[in-house]
Amino acid sequence: MKYKNASDVLPENLLKEVQKYAAGETLYFPKNSQRLKWGEKTGARVFFAERNNEIRQKYLQKMSIEHLADEYCLSIDTIRKIVFV
């Protein structure tokens, strides 16, 4: 991350106001954009949503929780959490 001198970026009146609260401190100003939720950028969120829907459908078709746990390499407790949500 590249640092910039606040006096080069901010108007003088705003700089003086910020100095009242944080003179000599290093501040980070986040971008003014909406943060992505977990897994949205990589596609993991969609992958797990589709997998969980598939597990629910198979459970509704009378596949046992134990069989689903073996098939998806998940614990029985995890399958229960997915099915009973």
Side-chain angles (χ1 to χ4, degrees), residues 47-56 58 64-83:
F47 170 79
F48 288 116
E50 289 174 356
R51 182 205 63 185
N52 292 350
N53 286 332
E54 193 175 294
I55 290 171
R56 286 186 202 101
K58 289 182 178 184
S64 72
I65 289 177
E66 291 78 11
H67 183 76
L68 290 168
D70 287 340
E71 183 177 334
Y72 289 94
C73 299
L74 297 171
S75 71
I76 291 173
D77 288 338
T78 301
I79 295 293
R80 283 189 180 129
K81 288 176 188 175
I82 292 168
V83 169

Side-chain angles (χ1 to χ4, degrees), residues 20-33:
K20 288 181 190 177
Y21 300 96
E25 298 291 328
T26 302
L27 300 176
Y28 169 73
F29 291 90
K31 289 183 180 179
N32 191 15
S33 61

Side-chain angles (χ1 to χ4, degrees), residues 12-24:
E12 189 174 334
N13 59 343
L14 180 56
L15 177 62
K16 287 181 181 182
E17 193 64 28
V18 171
Q19 284 174 331
K20 288 181 190 177
Y21 300 96

